[in-house]
Amino acid sequence: MGTQKVMVLHAFVLSVLLFRGCGCAIQDGMLYPRDTETRETKDLSGVWNFRADKSRNRNAGFEEQWFKQSLFRSGGVIDMPVPSSYNDITQDKSLRDFVGWVWYDREFYPPYSWQNLKQRVVLRFQSAHYYTIVWLNGEEIMEHDGGHLPFEIEVTDNLVYGQSNRITAAVNNTLTPHTLPPGTIEYKTNTDKYPAGYFVQDLQMDFFNYAGIHRAVKLYTTPRVYIDDITVISDISASTGLVNYNIKVGGDVDGNDVICQVDLLDKDGKTVSSKKGLQDQLSVSKAHFWWPYTMSNDSAYLYTLKVSISSGGSSDLYRLPVGIRTVKTTNTQILINDKPFYCHGVAKHEDSDFRGKGVDLPLIAKDFNLLKWLGANCFRTSHYPYADEIMDMADRHGIVVIDECPGVGITHLENFSNKSLTHHLEVMEELVRRDKNRPSVIMWSVANEPASEFPQARHYFKSVISHTKQLDPTRPVTFVFNGGMDIERIFDEATEFCDVICLNSYYGWYSDTGHTEVIQLQLEYNLRQWFKKRNKPIIQTEYGAGSIAGIHLNPDMAFSEDYQVEVLQEHFKIFDKLRKEFLVGEMVWNFADFMTAQGTNRVVGNRKGVFTRQRQPKMAAYILREHYLSIINSTSQHSRQ
Ligand code: BDP
């Protein structure tokens, strides 16, 4: 899109995000950038220049073409770490709550060694929230619609060697009825009460709309003929592991044959199986299967798939971690490697102090240590795809993931429009493309608590779920249902398309607040009714209570740590009982306290964490740990077949 067009299109900016919804199937692979003998990466993370466009129509950046020169030349800039959310970095409340375009730029020098005809260079954003336009040396090179997934473009011919190059990115956090998550801009037009032009962003989800360049920005090279994509589907047959692979080659093969060598290496680097050809099956006898975390061993065995291709003098090499495992469901079970698997884990968020949702390796490592300390074996990526670094750790540590797309807050009629649906299908394509090879991902969740009672929800979710199944026929697909209401009064048009029924309910919290004595009765009744209705395995994907760390009350009351403990313990009793029948998982809401929009029912964020936002345990964390350890201890004796 030319600059001229951008300016026109952005003339009324806030109502204007362009979400063009092309409806096109994604063609290219976008393998994670890795250094190999044929590929080099250059991380552009660091301190970038930054300015929020606080002009009244938020459009000065386009009108004045800030991308044409270094950002500092068109006005004041501040330091902004990439990756991070810009919201909590400064002392400026108006930046924390800013809605509209923010601008980033930085300079870099491409190494001379990249300047040869045998290489291509790709610029990749691991994610930026929400809508991003990128320029290289003043020329627009790509845009991306959506907040939590990577996007990239080849820049081989845009780079200039021997001088500095400039990347400019404009990022807009505005949520509209057709974004995921959706939202609306509300113009407050009563000039007796609000200044002229006053508007606010209304959110339909219960978490802060952190924004900015949240994950790394990287340059990476590949040879001209390159491995564009790898799809791996594993299977098991008795003690033999099978790895079906399919390799897509990109670039100008130019009538040359592609020679492909694929080796599967064990942890010691020893080749255990090899094949030639772009598509085939590798077989490993006495294979180490990938198995979820059980406290005692490192069961999450990862092989390495080493793929080498060559064609017409060009060769490429890529190494992909591979776990051998299967996932199946029956009407009462989830089976991993044909053995019953019970999820005992948490629902999470990605945010923490200061950096918002910016990738932070110490935080990621801490969270995995806390998960293991808890005895948790799974989490849901509520309510958006998490960073690759988090998913890598899940693969390595055997923490099972329900991989959720940002389909949260689909609650207004307009959110079910064709435009929204088209975008939702694309987001699922991007998510499956990114995470399809991860052994930790056992299920896709296409949404959280949508208004599935609307008649429109039927077509909408049937389409999203069947599209996801086409993209990946090997994993179950679900969406998470707001299931705490009286089941007789529930109108639900869509859970019948789910392979596993995922329910959120808050007995003793949003209903009958203060009355823990009714939890067991209501929870058991609800779960049994759902099983009767759908005859499918059920996961309790959310339950819990808020507590302010340090508040203790005896007898307990809502918001004390003691009350949170009691709510959890009442739930455990029913989970322990139904685990022997059709319940296949429980996930407390939430792993840690997290930030939300301001509101009278949120005390500086949502306090349902069993850890504080600083990752210190509340009383609830200790009793959850005790409960999970008792599940681990009893699982070996306990057969559900
Ligand atoms: C559930 C939502 C979750 C909220 C939670 C809560 O799925 O996003 O944060 O309620 O209210 O309904 O704490």
Side-chain angles (χ1 to χ4, degrees):
M1 183 169 29
T3 305
Q4 199 61 36
K5 200 165 155 209
V6 171
M7 284 173 59
V8 176
L9 286 167
H10 293 283
F12 308 96
V13 149
L14 288 166
S15 48
V16 184
L17 283 181
L18 309 174
F19 318 108
R20 293 172 303 167
C22 68
C24 46
I26 285 170
Q27 302 295 337
D28 299 326
M30 287 191 47
L31 290 170
Y32 185 79
R34 290 179 200 279
D35 284 313
T36 71
E37 293 86 327
T38 59
R39 294 169 171 236
E40 209 178 312
T41 61
K42 185 177 170 70
D43 195 340
L44 297 175
S45 302
V47 177
W48 290 42
N49 303 309
F50 176 92
R51 182 190 313 138
D53 182 348
K54 292 190 178 168
S55 62
R56 203 152 150 214
N57 66 359
R58 301 292 197 258
N59 207 31
F62 294 97
E63 286 161 4
E64 296 165 13
Q65 302 195 325
W66 291 353
F67 48 88
K68 282 278 182 207
Q69 53 184 344
S70 297
L71 205 50
F72 77 87
R73 293 195 189 279
S74 52
V77 291
I78 60 170
D79 288 348
M80 189 54 65
V82 170
S84 75
S85 302
Y86 58 75
N87 310 80
D88 290 347
I89 295 284
T90 73
Q91 303 313 105
D92 178 0
K93 191 154 118 178
S94 72
L95 181 59
R96 184 191 65 203
D97 300 332
F98 183 77
V99 181
W101 292 102
V102 297
W103 291 73
Y104 291 78
D105 83 358
R106 73 155 283 167
E107 314 232 324
F108 66 95
Y109 294 88
Y112 280 134
S113 58
W114 290 5
Q115 191 184 15
N116 69 52
L117 295 173
K118 292 196 170 149
Q119 306 238 55
R120 46 196 285 284
V121 184
V122 180
L123 173 64
R124 172 153 166 151
F125 281 62
Q126 289 293 110
S127 84
H129 188 76
Y130 179 87
Y131 194 91
T132 311
I133 304 176
V134 183
W135 294 260
L136 184 55
N137 299 326
E139 191 190 326
E140 189 188 328
I141 51 168
M142 68 174 156
E143 56 187 298
H144 184 255
D145 176 1
H148 309 273
L149 288 161
F151 48 99
E152 67 177 29
I153 189 118
E154 186 180 339
V155 293
T156 317
D157 299 332
N158 306 74
L159 294 176
V160 188
Y161 290 86
Q163 65 181 66
S164 86
N165 287 242
R166 189 182 64 256
I167 302 181
T168 311
V171 185
N172 195 324
N173 61 348
T174 306
L175 300 180
T176 76
H178 310 295
T179 55
L180 277 189
T184 46
I185 295 291
E186 190 189 345
Y187 290 92
K188 307 266 192 182
T189 49
N190 182 346
T191 46
D192 294 337
K193 292 186 172 172
Y194 300 98
Y198 195 83
F199 65 86
V200 288
Q201 168 86 74
D202 291 329
L203 302 177
Q204 293 165 213
M205 78 270 192
D206 181 35
F207 54 92
F208 193 89
N209 191 30
Y210 279 114
I213 304 180
H214 280 154
R215 298 179 191 156
V217 179
K218 292 184 180 184
L219 286 165
Y220 71 94
T221 65
T222 77
R224 288 278 176 181
V225 175
Y226 59 97
I227 299 160
D228 180 43
D229 200 13
I230 304 173
T231 306
V232 160
I233 296 175
S234 63
D235 205 350
I236 60 174
S237 167
S239 64
T240 302
L242 303 168
V243 177
N244 300 290
Y245 68 86
N246 191 349
I247 290 148
K248 219 177 125 232
V249 175
D252 192 5
V253 179
D254 200 20
N256 293 306
D257 285 345
V258 177
I259 298 166
C260 179
Q261 169 75 34
V262 180
D263 301 302
L264 192 68
L265 313 180
D266 67 12
K267 271 196 172 167
D268 299 322
K270 209 175 99 220
T271 303
V272 292
S273 183
S274 294
K275 280 277 159 70
K276 292 194 190 315
L278 294 171
Q279 194 179 349
D280 213 322
Q281 183 180 74
L282 298 157
S283 160
V284 193
S285 56
K286 296 210 184 71
H288 300 277
F289 297 147
W290 190 94
W291 182 253
Y293 178 65
T294 52
M295 273 338 249
S296 51
N297 54 26
D298 66 336
S299 48
Y301 195 96
L302 291 178
Y303 291 88
T304 300
L305 191 79
K306 181 179 166 201
V307 179
S308 319
I309 61 157
S310 61
S311 172
S314 178
S315 58
D316 192 14
L317 196 164
Y318 193 87
R319 292 184 182 81
L320 180 79
V322 166
I324 299 178
R325 61 107 187 87
T326 57
V327 182
K328 293 174 195 151
T329 59
T330 70
N331 69 328
T332 55
Q333 293 179 327
I334 292 181
L335 303 171
I336 296 188
N337 304 337
D338 295 326
K339 291 189 194 134
F341 172 68
Y342 186 76
C343 304
H344 41 90
V346 299
K348 278 186 102 271
H349 266 293
E350 247 184 345
D351 73 305
S352 71
D353 283 346
F354 311 134
R355 65 287 263 183
K357 282 192 179 140
V359 165
D360 183 55
L361 291 178
L363 179 79
I364 293 172
K366 181 74 179 173
D367 279 4
F368 273 83
N369 285 323
L370 289 174
L371 285 171
K372 288 177 138 186
W373 176 82
L374 270 183
N377 65 359
C378 67
F379 63 83
R380 172 167 62 120
T381 68
S382 38
H383 298 303
Y384 39 81
Y386 290 0
D388 291 84
E389 292 80 355
I390 297 177
M391 304 301 282
D392 284 348
M393 275 212 196
D395 283 343
R396 279 205 304 277
H397 292 271
I399 303 292
V400 158
V401 178
I402 298 178
D403 205 352
E404 188 160 276
C405 91
V408 54
I410 306 177
T411 49
H412 299 181
L413 209 50
E414 222 186 324
N415 311 146
F416 290 90
S417 67
N418 278 339
K419 192 173 175 181
S420 296
L421 175 58
T422 304
H423 179 56
H424 204 146
L425 299 181
E426 268 177 8
V427 171
M428 289 316 300
E429 288 175 21
E430 290 185 25
L431 177 60
V432 173
R433 173 177 63 182
R434 192 193 72 161
D435 289 346
K436 65 186 170 186
N437 293 324
R438 295 192 172 279
S440 59
V441 174
I442 61 154
M443 180 153 64
W444 306 108
S445 164
V446 302
N448 179 69
E449 297 192 354
S452 66
E453 69 276 17
F454 290 174
Q456 290 78 355
R458 190 172 184 81
H459 168 68
Y460 188 98
F461 282 103
K462 194 175 175 194
S463 308
V464 179
I465 291 175
S466 66
H467 188 63
T468 308
K469 281 174 174 292
Q470 265 171 20
L471 295 166
D472 177 8
T474 71
R475 290 178 177 89
V477 183
T478 192
F479 73 86
V480 172
F481 188 82
N482 182 358
M485 288 162 284
D486 215 344
I487 189 154
E488 286 83 9
R489 296 208 323 261
I490 286 176
F491 297 98
D492 151 45
E493 296 289 336
T495 54
E496 70 179 84
F497 305 117
C498 298
D499 296 306
V500 174
I501 303 299
C502 291
L503 299 175
N504 297 346
S505 65
Y506 285 90
Y507 301 116
W509 186 254
Y510 287 123
S511 56
D512 300 298
T513 318
H515 295 282
T516 48
E517 65 277 10
V518 299
I519 291 175
Q520 288 192 47
L521 204 66
Q522 296 184 1
L523 178 65
E524 180 168 0
Y525 178 74
N526 189 54
L527 291 170
R528 285 196 185 285
Q529 290 299 310
W530 270 99
F531 181 63
K532 207 157 120 196
K533 183 179 162 99
R534 291 287 175 234
N535 194 29
K536 290 185 181 169
I538 295 180
I539 302 181
Q540 180 80 32
T541 31
E542 287 184 29
Y543 70 99
S547 74
I548 309 295
I551 293 199
H552 292 279
L553 290 172
N554 188 354
D556 58 34
M557 287 179 92
F559 282 112
S560 65
E561 289 200 38
D562 318 65
Y563 187 76
Q564 186 185 29
V565 163
E566 200 166 306
V567 166
L568 266 50
Q569 280 172 330
E570 289 305 292
H571 281 78
F572 297 161
K573 291 174 193 153
I574 298 304
F575 296 156
D576 284 345
K577 187 164 164 187
L578 300 187
R579 196 162 78 233
K580 301 177 180 88
E581 301 182 33
F582 53 81
L583 190 73
V584 294
E586 57 186 270
M587 295 172 145
V588 75
W589 187 259
N590 188 284
F591 172 73
D593 293 346
F594 58 91
M595 196 47 73
T596 61
Q598 298 182 61
T600 47
N601 65 348
R602 291 289 175 259
V603 191
V604 192
N606 187 314
R607 300 301 188 111
K608 295 193 189 71
V610 297
F611 295 101
T612 64
R613 204 166 179 237
Q614 292 71 36
R615 273 43 181 187
Q616 294 304 329
K618 300 181 191 171
M619 259 165 68
Y622 292 98
I623 64 109
L624 189 64
R625 177 170 196 257
E626 207 180 295
H627 173 59
Y628 285 173
L629 296 190
S630 82
I631 294 177
I632 292 171
N633 289 335
S634 66
T635 315
S636 43
Q637 297 116 41
H638 155 82
S639 165
R640 298 173 50 237
Q641 284 167 315

